[in-house]
Amino acid sequence: MRPRNDSRPIGVFDSGVGGLTVLAELRRRLPAESTIYLGDNARAPYGPRPADEVRTFTLESVGWLLAQDVKLLVLACNTATAHALPLVRDVATVPVLGVVRPGAVSAAASTRAGHVGVIATAGTVASGAYAAAVGEADPRLVVTQLACPELVPMVEAGQLSGPVAEATVSGYLGDLFGADPLIDTLLLGCTHYPLLRPVIEQVAGPHVAVVDSAFTTALAAEDLLDVLGARTGQDGPGANRIVTTGDVATFSAVAATVFGAALPSVEQAVVAAV
Ligand code: DGL
């Protein structure tokens, strides 16, 4: 489809650093597109918060991104997607993609045993969004969910490997892998968790496929821009802004593990009274 030369950026939102895993995939797939990433680190984690609070914080953050004149909004946060996607779609003047359905589609495509394990924040698990989305992708699949509340604070603190990370991940996953039929696909239902992927894969073992929503969300974004005829007309690499409501130095340290030397300098913004 012919692009209509819409050079406005794609807005990407997460409660903190986790959505960078989705941003990285978007950048790989759509290098000519410009992006603005907002992490609401000042109020992360969202996972343990009541649904109403997550909705308020998400709407405030999304409001800031919409004010930057984005052409597409990606809610790169499962907790925000699970609690607030329909609301955000109501207020947004541009199309909005969440990460739950793309993750569920990946997991449904991956499992052979028909049993998918989902690890996520307490809020996402309580919402039942993944059980519903995997069931929508294939109603025959069994889904076992587990909330892992210690993982997001660990990632936000930059603790991505080492004995503490291994022990914490083992403590959670030990509860999942005794079921019958055995779980053969583990869905990372939180965008922070791919930053722990090496540890998670090691603990889960070689017979478990570890999948996340980053690749399929980027694919969905690409398809949507094509359907809308809204790709940028520019040839060169797009411009990228990364913004946090929290501490720039802490954010930059974790973000550098995702983007390495390609990390743009991180800005700070206030989206609401915190
Ligand atoms: N990265 C987010 C998610 O995908 C939220 C983590 C949090 O703030 O608790 O759920």
Side-chain angles (χ1 to χ4, degrees), residues 14-16 18-19 44-48 76-80 99 121 124 152 189-192:
D14 181 42
S15 61
Y46 278 17
C77 175
N78 289 272
T79 312
V99 281
T121 67
T124 299
V152 168
C190 171
T191 52
H192 280 64

Side-chain angles (χ1 to χ4, degrees), residues 19-197:
L20 291 173
T21 58
V22 176
L23 179 69
E25 207 51 53
L26 280 167
R27 300 283 318 128
R28 249 193 295 279
R29 207 155 185 97
L30 301 164
E33 298 293 338
S34 294
T35 58
I36 302 185
Y37 180 94
L38 176 66
D40 191 12
N41 299 72
R43 301 186 290 190
Y46 278 17
R49 294 184 184 276
D52 275 352
E53 198 169 35
V54 172
R55 285 186 200 111
T56 303
F57 290 177
T58 301
L59 286 178
E60 287 169 352
S61 302
V62 157
W64 185 90
L65 274 172
L66 290 172
Q68 312 306 308
D69 195 22
V70 297
K71 65 180 171 186
L72 164 68
L73 198 55
V74 179
L75 284 189
C77 175
N78 289 272
T79 312
T81 301
H83 289 313
L85 181 63
L87 258 184
V88 173
R89 285 195 168 134
D90 279 350
V91 302
T93 44
V94 297
V96 184
L97 279 177
V99 281
V100 170
R101 181 175 287 170
V105 168
S106 290
S110 156
T111 184
R112 292 288 166 270
H115 192 178
V116 173
V118 178
I119 54 173
T121 67
T124 299
V125 167
S127 77
Y130 265 112
V134 173
E136 219 173 76
D138 184 343
R140 295 165 304 175
L141 301 181
V142 177
V143 178
T144 301
Q145 303 187 91
L146 180 72
C148 305
E150 287 175 51
L151 297 189
V152 168
M154 212 168 74
V155 169
E156 289 282 323
Q159 202 158 30
L160 308 180
S161 59
V164 174
E166 282 163 27
T168 311
V169 169
S170 297
Y172 285 127
L173 295 193
D175 293 343
L176 266 186
F177 294 116
D180 183 27
L182 288 178
I183 288 171
D184 68 347
T185 296
L186 181 65
L187 172 54
L188 307 185
C190 171
T191 52
H192 280 64
Y193 298 175
L195 291 165
L196 291 165
R197 181 184 280 273

